[in-house]
Amino acid sequence: KISFFVRTAFDLLFQNLFKMMISFGIVIVMMLWSHVPVSYNVIYVIPIFVDLILITFGVSAILAHFGVFFDDLKNITNVGLRILFYMSTDRVNEAIATLLLKVNPVGFLIDACRSSLVYCETPHRRLILLWFVIGAVLSAIGVAIIYKNENNYVKVI
């Protein structure tokens, strides 16, 4: 039996995944229009997307649990994500930006997708595998937390 909260999280995840696939279709059209060469490294997009889905679901499930108890978690999350975004750009020292690009999963996965699609390079496979394991663990923790506290959510809300 799937929990209502887990089912809702899956529904939202797949709705946004559908939107992302539409955006990715536009990227493919633009790549063809710009005559970007295609290599066998395009296949790395699949594990990169799997990593992105697992990490997003895991972090979202954990934040959804704590969001029930803390009203301002949405604002804190927005500020934290904005800080991570700006720190992974050229606004900081190059060495720090490179480190943050590997530590920030979304930044790393975007960079890996760019290197495999645009530059026809093989992305860092060990980091892709590491983020897959981390995403799977985060997803398992998030689902376990939601199942454990499912009856407490109604009391709080």
Side-chain angles (χ1 to χ4, degrees):
K1 179 181 172 186
I2 296 178
S3 166
F4 169 76
F5 297 104
V6 173
R7 193 169 355 113
T8 304
F10 274 123
D11 289 344
L12 289 173
L13 180 73
F14 285 115
Q15 286 174 7
N16 288 317
L17 181 66
F18 179 74
K19 292 175 187 177
M20 189 177 83
M21 288 301 159
I22 292 173
S23 299
F24 196 66
I26 295 170
V27 168
I28 291 172
V29 169
M30 293 303 295
M31 284 177 60
L32 292 173
W33 184 64
S34 301
H35 303 291
V36 174
V38 179
S39 73
Y40 68 93
N41 289 319
V42 171
I43 199 75
Y44 285 109
V45 170
I46 295 169
I48 289 169
F49 280 160
V50 169
D51 285 0
L52 185 63
I53 290 168
L54 279 175
I55 291 168
T56 302
F57 178 74
V59 171
S60 298
I62 293 170
L63 288 177
H65 165 71
F66 290 113
V68 171
F69 302 105
F70 302 112
D71 290 335
D72 290 336
L73 188 63
K74 178 181 178 183
N75 296 330
I76 294 169
T77 304
N78 284 337
V79 169
L81 288 174
R82 192 165 291 138
I83 288 170
L84 271 176
F85 171 73
Y86 285 121
M87 289 184 73
S88 62
T89 61
D90 58 354
R91 301 186 193 282
V92 295
N93 186 359
E94 185 176 338
I96 295 172
T98 304
L99 175 68
L100 286 174
L101 193 61
K102 292 182 180 177
V103 174
N104 178 2
V106 176
F108 166 72
L109 294 173
I110 289 171
D111 189 55
C113 194
R114 182 185 308 123
S115 68
S116 66
L117 287 176
V118 177
Y119 302 120
C120 298
E121 298 172 353
T122 303
H124 200 288
R125 291 178 286 208
R126 288 185 181 159
L127 279 177
I128 291 174
L129 181 62
L130 175 68
W131 282 116
F132 175 80
V133 171
I134 291 171
V137 169
L138 286 173
S139 296
I141 289 171
V143 169
I145 288 173
I146 288 176
Y147 273 122
K148 180 180 177 186
N149 297 300
E150 186 175 16
N151 294 329
N152 297 334
Y153 297 144
V154 175
K155 295 175 189 174
V156 174
I157 295 176

